[in-house]
């Protein structure tokens, strides 16, 4: 694990609406190219397992497929940019990091994610010489959501953050999907990729 201390709880920042679809088993993937403030300027997998830290700043309902747009308002209820606490309710293990470099590959997985085709295409084209990371996840819901203080180092366009291990690492969690269902969905997605 590069950049983050081994004794820390690792967090990966993701749109709150995407975290919710992951938590409910309706999505098994996230896509990454890297944040503007990534140390390397490119996305790198810094941990094979991590907590999902919900973010709200760049999340826009017009970038989400119509069938998921109402959920943006639901996850933003009660949120403001002045929040002093964040709620963590998901943990994930990286099953596979697939590099996507063509529009054809991206089109094949369109039905497996919540983002509009145009937004997914924008992500692919940004930093054109770098592939898009398609991260296939095994997601776990924490038995009890944990409130953590929002620290200044969590802000900004970066993907990975260090979270307080004392608050998170001992909280029991359970898989969002049963093994058989998760394997079937991952197999279907990988078959679509060819």
């Amino acid at each position: 694990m590069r950049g983050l201390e081994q004794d820390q709880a690792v967090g990966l920042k993701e749109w709150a609406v995407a975290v919710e679809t992951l938590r409910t088993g309706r999505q098994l993937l996230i896509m990454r190219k890297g944040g503007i403030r990534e140390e390397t300027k490119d996305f790198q997998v810094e941990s094979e397992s991590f907590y999902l830290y919900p973010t709200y700043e760049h999340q826009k309902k017009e970038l989400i497929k119509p069938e998921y747009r109402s959920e943006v308002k639901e996850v933003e209820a009660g949120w403001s940019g002045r929040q002093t606490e964040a709620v963590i309710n998901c943990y994930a293990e990286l099953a596979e990091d697939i590099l996507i470099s063509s529009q054809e590959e991206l089109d094949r997985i369109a039905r497996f994610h919540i983002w509009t085709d145009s937004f997914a295409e924008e992500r692919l084209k940004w930093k054109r010489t770098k592939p898009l990371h398609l991260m296939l996840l095994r997601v776990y819901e924490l038995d009890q959501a944990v409130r953590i203080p929002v620290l200044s180092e969590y802000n900004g366009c970066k993907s990975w953050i260090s979270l307080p291990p004392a608050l998170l690492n001992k909280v029991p969690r359970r898989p969002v999907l049963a093994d058989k269902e998760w394997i079937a969905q991952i197999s279907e997605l990988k078959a679509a990729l060819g």
Side-chain angles (χ1 to χ4, degrees):
M1 181 168 67
R2 265 171 273 154
L4 298 174
E5 297 297 322
Q6 292 287 350
D7 62 348
Q8 291 292 314
V10 178
L12 180 65
K13 294 170 65 176
E14 182 56 79
W15 288 5
V17 67
V19 172
E20 183 60 15
T21 58
L22 290 162
R23 186 190 68 78
T24 54
R26 294 173 290 148
Q27 180 166 297
L28 304 175
L29 64 90
I30 55 176
M31 294 185 278
R32 277 289 188 289
K33 267 274 179 113
I36 294 166
R37 295 188 184 160
E38 302 290 354
E39 285 182 24
T40 63
K41 303 295 183 207
D42 298 317
F43 180 79
Q44 295 181 359
V45 174
E46 293 193 14
S47 181
E48 300 280 320
S49 58
F50 43 85
Y51 293 90
L52 292 165
Y53 182 91
T55 62
Y56 301 86
E57 292 84 7
H58 303 296
Q59 168 176 277
K60 294 184 176 88
K61 70 177 183 180
E62 59 271 13
L63 303 177
I64 304 291
K65 291 176 183 168
E67 60 268 31
Y68 296 99
R69 287 183 182 163
S70 65
E71 294 185 45
V72 173
K73 189 173 183 177
E74 290 174 27
V75 298
E76 288 179 347
W79 175 82
S80 81
R82 297 178 302 278
Q83 295 295 116
T84 59
E85 290 184 321
V87 177
I88 307 295
N89 60 13
C90 287
Y91 180 82
E93 294 173 347
L94 179 63
E96 193 168 347
D97 181 23
I98 299 172
L99 300 180
I100 302 290
S101 54
S102 73
Q103 185 63 47
E104 181 185 4
E105 292 171 302
L106 192 60
D107 291 344
R108 289 182 191 159
I109 60 159
R111 65 188 168 100
F112 295 98
H113 62 76
I114 64 170
W115 298 284
T116 61
D117 292 343
S118 60
F119 182 65
E121 184 178 344
E122 283 176 34
R123 281 190 167 187
L124 176 65
K125 288 181 178 178
W126 186 62
K127 294 185 179 183
R128 190 176 296 272
T129 61
K130 304 293 182 184
L132 181 68
H133 289 258
L134 176 68
M135 298 174 70
L136 305 184
L137 304 179
R138 181 73 194 262
V139 179
Y140 299 80
E141 183 175 16
L142 303 186
D143 284 357
Q144 182 175 349
V146 176
R147 293 184 171 276
I148 64 167
V150 174
L151 304 179
S152 60
E153 58 258 37
Y154 299 166
N155 298 328
C157 295
K158 56 188 170 190
S159 299
W160 299 100
I161 56 177
S162 292
L163 301 174
L167 296 176
L168 290 164
N169 285 346
K170 295 192 182 205
V171 177
R173 50 190 177 247
R174 62 193 174 286
V176 166
L177 297 174
D179 291 351
K180 189 174 180 179
E181 185 179 0
W182 181 78
I183 290 167
Q185 288 190 32
I186 288 290
S187 298
E188 185 182 352
L189 189 153
K190 289 177 82 171
L193 274 172

